[in-house]
Structures are given as structure tokens and as C-alpha cells.
Amino acid sequence: MKIKNSDFVTSAVKKEQYPTTGLPEIAFVGRSNVGKSSIINALTNRKKLAKVSQTPGKTRLINFFVINNGEFHLVDLPGYGYAKVSKTEKASWGNTIETYLSGRSELKRVVLLVDSRHKPTADDIQMHEWIKFYGYDEVIIATKSDKLSNNELRKKEKDIRETLKLTKEDTLYFFSSVNKKGRDELIDNLFNILVENE
């Protein structure tokens, strides 16, 4: 698949604010400093489609982007796990994400981002379990892989798979928004579900 163009559609918190076009959706979720905006911009080849914030935890809304003039929606969910916010605020982000995940028929796949340099956190584990609980197809991407050597990548893959209790069938990719190595192949693998469902 080629991503030819991408545009911002709307931001939402409540279900009634979600787009009602019926387009299939693929959602990206991860910790607030995992590089979610950077990977969305790298995949869509747009420098400022998703706003890269200097302050982690800034995205508090669900942002919808339309891809290829209405082929599908790419959905940017709020970053979670940022330490410098109140418990109330953390809970509200959790509610925002869970509200979206519960019964969104347009949602075809959830892409969970984890930092390749560290073991997945308790928040990452909870998010992975949520995605599985709601029955969505999941792809996991370990970001910032340019910071690791090949030997470290192999070790980190083992760490991630063990921490999240992944099976051989669970899909895990390593990607860097800096060098964009394997970008076209990753796009094909991420969005193949849209073609399969047609």
C-alpha cells in the first residue's frame, strides 16, 4: 500500500464526537514519550501531521486523520503513563482510550508502540491486555530502534515478547522514525488488514 496523502479530520473525547463516515480505522497507542507522533509522521511522510510535543503527555484527545482521500482513518490515541500529571487526569485519559476501544466497529487493528530500549512498563502490559480483551487485531512496534545494535535488538525482542507474554503469532516490528528503515514494508504489514477485509 502507498500512503499518497493524509489530512487531519477531527479531535474527539466522547463517542458522539467520533467521525460517522464508517471508514475503517487503525489506531496507534503508546506511552506519552514513545514517539507516537513521530512514527505517524514518518509513515504518512508528513512532518507535522501529528503534532510532536516537547512536553510528553500533551495529547489528551483522540485525533482522527483521513488517509488517501477517504481510504481509511488513522487514529492517534492519547499517550498514557506520563508521571507528571495528576491521578485524576491519568484516569480521564484511560477512560478516553477505553471508551474508544469498547465497541468501535470501524476499528480494525490497534498498533501498540513500546520503547525498544526498555522493557514494557505496567501501563504497556495493561494496554496490551485491553486490546486483547476487546478482541482487536494487534501489531506491536518497538520504536527508537536506531539507538540499538543488532545484538541489543535481539535481546530487547526477547524482553518485549516475554514481558507482554506474546505468542509466536503475535506481530512485533522494530522501527526508527529517524532512519525510516523498512518503512514501505511496515506500511504494507500494518495496513494489509484493510485490503483483506474488503
Side-chain angles (χ1 to χ4, degrees), residues 97-164:
I97 295 170
E98 194 166 14
T99 299
Y100 173 74
L101 288 178
S102 58
R104 182 69 175 160
S105 61
E106 291 90 339
L107 182 57
K108 304 304 176 196
R109 173 172 281 165
V110 181
V111 181
L112 174 62
L113 304 178
V114 296
D115 190 324
S116 65
R117 300 167 300 172
H118 311 293
K119 275 191 177 180
T121 65
D123 289 321
D124 292 327
I125 294 166
Q126 183 183 22
M127 183 54 63
H128 169 63
E129 287 172 353
W130 268 4
I131 295 164
K132 292 291 186 190
F133 173 78
Y134 286 113
Y136 293 113
D137 187 85
E138 180 189 41
V139 171
I140 297 159
I141 299 179
T143 62
K144 308 181 184 183
S145 62
D146 58 296
K147 314 265 190 214
L148 301 173
S149 68
N150 286 340
N151 281 344
E152 287 171 323
L153 283 172
R154 280 193 289 275
K155 183 178 178 300
K156 294 301 181 186
E157 177 168 7
K158 187 168 178 283
D159 284 348
I160 292 166
R161 285 192 172 277
E162 285 177 357
T163 307
L164 294 178

Side-chain angles (χ1 to χ4, degrees), residues 3 5-6 22 39 50 65 73 91 107 120 129 138 156-157 186 188 198:
I3 294 185
N5 52 60
S6 49
I39 199 169
F65 305 98
H73 281 142
L107 182 57
E129 287 172 353
E138 180 189 41
K156 294 301 181 186
E157 177 168 7
L186 183 60
D188 284 344
E198 279 177 1

Side-chain angles (χ1 to χ4, degrees), residues 3-181:
I3 294 185
K4 303 183 212 51
N5 52 60
S6 49
D7 291 290
F8 173 75
V9 178
T10 190
S11 294
V13 177
K14 304 173 192 160
K15 282 195 169 184
E16 49 269 31
Q17 298 168 323
Y18 301 165
T20 54
T21 54
L23 289 179
E25 294 172 358
I26 291 190
F28 283 66
V29 68
R31 280 173 62 78
S32 50
N33 56 354
V34 78
K36 187 158 48 70
S37 300
S38 298
I39 199 169
I40 289 171
N41 292 339
L43 293 173
T44 56
N45 227 6
R46 291 273 306 272
K47 282 184 180 167
K48 294 180 182 172
L49 183 68
K51 290 183 174 64
V52 179
S53 171
Q54 297 308 310
T55 313
K58 206 79 171 153
T59 309
R60 294 163 197 201
L61 304 166
I62 299 174
N63 292 311
F64 292 82
F65 305 98
V66 65
I67 307 297
N68 292 349
N69 299 322
E71 208 167 320
F72 65 96
H73 281 142
L74 191 157
V75 185
D76 181 10
L77 295 175
Y80 56 78
Y82 188 52
K84 292 185 185 174
V85 296
S86 68
K87 284 185 179 174
T88 315
E89 205 161 1
K90 277 186 186 176
S92 83
W93 295 351
N95 289 339
T96 301
I97 295 170
E98 194 166 14
T99 299
Y100 173 74
L101 288 178
S102 58
R104 182 69 175 160
S105 61
E106 291 90 339
L107 182 57
K108 304 304 176 196
R109 173 172 281 165
V110 181
V111 181
L112 174 62
L113 304 178
V114 296
D115 190 324
S116 65
R117 300 167 300 172
H118 311 293
K119 275 191 177 180
T121 65
D123 289 321
D124 292 327
I125 294 166
Q126 183 183 22
M127 183 54 63
H128 169 63
E129 287 172 353
W130 268 4
I131 295 164
K132 292 291 186 190
F133 173 78
Y134 286 113
Y136 293 113
D137 187 85
E138 180 189 41
V139 171
I140 297 159
I141 299 179
T143 62
K144 308 181 184 183
S145 62
D146 58 296
K147 314 265 190 214
L148 301 173
S149 68
N150 286 340
N151 281 344
E152 287 171 323
L153 283 172
R154 280 193 289 275
K155 183 178 178 300
K156 294 301 181 186
E157 177 168 7
K158 187 168 178 283
D159 284 348
I160 292 166
R161 285 192 172 277
E162 285 177 357
T163 307
L164 294 178
K165 298 189 175 83
L166 302 184
T167 67
K168 285 180 182 174
E169 285 70 45
D170 288 313
T171 313
L172 170 64
Y173 296 101
F174 283 80
F175 186 74
S176 162
S177 302
V178 176
N179 61 29
K180 301 183 187 176
K181 194 174 164 188

